Amino acid sequence: MSHPRRDFIKKLSVAAIGSGVLGTSLSVQASSYKNYHIHSRLKLPKVKVSEDRVIKETVGLRPFRLSGPRVESQQLGNKTIVHNYGHGGSGWSLSWGTAMIAAELVQQTKAKQVAVMGCGVVGLATARTLQQKGHEVTIFTKDTYPNITSAMATGTWSPTSRLVHPSKVTPEFADMYQKACTHSYKTFQRLLGLNHVVDWMENYRIHSGEERRSDYADELRSKLVTPEVDFYPKAVQLPRKENPFKYPTVSRSPTTIFNIPAYLKMLRDDFLLAGGKIEIKTFMKPEDVDALPHKCVVNCTGLGAQEIFGDEELMPVSGQLCFLIPQPELTYRANMGGVYFIPREDGIMLGGNGIDGNWDTTPDPLVKEKYLSTVAEMMKNLRA
């Protein structure tokens, strides 16, 4: 039995095809979507690069030790000093991991009240870890955010950056690294979704033939990065149809970034809300530490440990950054020839240099000029 409504629709469709109306419509649709398919090339927004968009410049000093971070106990008179400093360019990445190891050393002392020296990311992570284990914690620091070295960091996942010289890697250090790296990675992933304090972002690496890597970066990774701590998906070289740049060789990989102002504020506020105290105090020598009423003190002073505890192995590695006006539409980072840009909420950060043994925190105009010209070159070669 025929159905009147169905018969009517069938006749209407046949008529539309015969007149070319439906065929024209399908042709237009096919034309509209022909450039949109799986693995099609992304059209990335451009960084607006110019001298007049620079809003600030900073030079931070990474606390580097040839033998790597010092995470161990030391007796000072009747006090136990637990050292947790010297992370080089890996302080942000490994902060929660070495904090956990330091807290385990603190627990061996049975001390209830603990002092933490330093209010950077390592000091704050250590203080919060101790609180979570039931300790009453007071932070003693000569300054707080934003006047701390941690505020001048790149803020990206880089757990082997200027961490240790390969010749100094022992089996014990490798075990410590893998434990710290695993704990930090898992902690950061649990912070995803909290007002963008931690995010994932795509990174494009442009292989221009001018890549600048330290002489031992690959060797260090081969000694420290095992399958157990190789958390990230591998970088993939993009075929031409997926390559958003005009450069022939570009790879893409995801990475974790930290929104430094919001992150440091979150840690500080969480510490204070949990009953922690912050006192302004400058330490110059071991006697200043000995004067504290606490029987257990955690030293997270970074480069300050050179003067306070006489650690001559500590060396500053300066890193200059240049910030452009924020662009909320930017959701990717890129690097070429040793220069990178990372969009953050406090500005588009340009960086890439490092000078061993340099204590000077005055920005170099030539470094800024290189940053701006390199990023401008990248944007000139970004496909429209």
Side-chain angles (χ1 to χ4, degrees):
M1 178 181 294
S2 63
H3 191 285
R5 177 176 175 79
R6 188 182 302 122
D7 291 344
F8 173 75
I9 294 175
K10 183 176 180 180
K11 290 177 182 178
L12 184 62
S13 299
V14 171
I17 293 173
S19 65
V21 173
L22 187 57
T24 301
S25 175
L26 290 174
S27 175
V28 170
Q29 281 190 331
S31 174
S32 299
Y33 290 105
K34 68 179 181 180
N35 292 323
Y36 294 86
H37 51 83
I38 296 175
H39 299 312
S40 62
R41 182 186 299 124
L42 288 174
K43 293 183 179 179
L44 300 175
K46 290 189 175 184
V47 178
K48 299 173 183 176
V49 188
S50 63
E51 176 79 29
D52 60 358
R53 292 184 66 84
V54 175
I55 54 177
K56 66 177 177 179
E57 297 177 74
T58 63
V59 177
L61 303 179
R62 309 174 183 96
F64 174 68
R65 302 174 81 242
L66 283 175
S67 58
R70 186 182 182 190
V71 188
E72 62 182 12
S73 295
Q74 175 189 12
Q75 287 303 126
L76 180 66
N78 63 347
K79 293 186 188 300
T80 299
I81 309 298
V82 176
H83 296 288
N84 183 16
Y85 68 89
H87 297 68
S90 303
W92 274 84
S93 300
L94 297 180
S95 56
W96 289 107
T98 59
M100 174 192 64
I101 296 171
E104 291 172 351
L105 295 174
V106 169
Q107 288 187 298
Q108 295 175 13
T109 69
K110 308 299 183 182
K112 179 68 174 177
Q113 298 179 327
V114 182
V116 172
M117 299 165 57
C119 199
V121 67
V122 173
L124 285 168
T126 301
R128 286 292 294 130
T129 300
L130 288 168
Q131 284 181 323
Q132 291 162 3
K133 292 182 178 295
H135 296 276
E136 298 174 15
V137 185
T138 301
I139 293 177
F140 294 91
T141 178
K142 66 179 180 180
D143 220 329
T144 58
Y145 178 83
N147 302 314
I148 52 176
T149 299
S150 292
M152 302 176 191
T154 299
T156 188
W157 177 258
S158 55
T160 60
S161 174
R162 299 184 184 272
L163 179 66
V164 59
H165 194 278
S167 65
K168 300 292 185 178
V169 175
T170 63
E172 293 76 19
F173 183 89
D175 288 344
M176 183 275 289
Y177 167 81
Q178 289 160 15
K179 182 179 179 180
C181 188
T182 300
H183 183 73
S184 276
Y185 177 81
K186 291 180 178 179
T187 303
F188 284 126
Q189 301 318 302
R190 290 195 294 269
L191 294 174
L192 289 170
L194 294 176
N195 298 320
H196 300 288
V197 294
V198 179
D199 272 319
W200 279 85
M201 180 175 287
E202 295 285 12
N203 176 62
Y204 293 88
R205 182 183 176 194
I206 299 167
H207 302 262
S208 63
E210 301 177 3
E211 285 76 17
R212 180 183 61 80
R213 291 175 64 85
S214 68
D215 294 336
Y216 57 82
D218 292 333
E219 183 184 355
L220 182 58
R221 282 186 56 82
S222 70
K223 290 190 173 186
L224 292 179
V225 181
T226 64
E228 290 75 23
V229 294
D230 196 5
F231 309 111
Y232 280 65
K234 297 292 186 292
V236 294
Q237 185 169 320
L238 299 177
R240 189 179 187 282
K241 67 179 181 180
E242 296 179 47
N243 185 353
F245 295 90
K246 297 177 184 177
Y247 300 100
T249 309
V250 176
S251 60
R252 181 178 62 200
S253 60
T255 189
T256 305
I257 63 167
F258 314 118
N259 178 9
I260 286 180
Y263 189 103
L264 289 174
K265 182 179 185 301
M266 178 195 73
L267 283 187
R268 183 200 64 194
D269 291 352
D270 286 352
F271 171 73
L272 294 173
L273 286 170
K277 299 177 182 178
I278 298 177
E279 295 189 19
I280 302 301
K281 182 176 178 61
T282 300
F283 297 91
M284 304 294 292
K285 53 190 182 299
E287 288 76 11
D288 296 334
V289 182
D290 193 47
L292 294 175
H294 304 77
K295 297 298 182 183
C296 183
V297 179
V298 187
N299 170 33
C300 303
T301 56
L303 285 169
Q306 185 183 86
E307 180 179 12
I308 302 168
F309 294 99
D311 187 343
E312 295 302 325
E313 191 180 347
L314 266 172
M315 175 181 70
V317 179
S318 65
Q320 182 169 328
L321 299 175
C322 172
F323 288 79
L324 302 175
I325 296 172
Q327 291 179 235
E329 72 274 16
L330 293 175
T331 57
Y332 71 100
R333 54 169 288 178
N335 62 85
M336 181 179 75
V339 173
Y340 57 78
F341 71 82
I342 304 175
R344 297 194 329 206
E345 293 190 11
D346 58 332
I348 304 166
M349 182 179 59
L350 282 55
N353 87 318
I355 305 175
D356 293 352
N358 179 40
W359 287 95
D360 189 359
T361 57
T362 305
D364 183 344
L366 293 179
V367 173
K368 178 180 70 173
E369 182 180 324
K370 179 183 178 182
Y371 289 170
L372 293 174
S373 62
T374 302
V375 175
E377 181 71 14
M378 280 193 265
M379 294 302 101
K380 187 174 71 174
N381 286 281
L382 189 62
R383 299 181 192 275

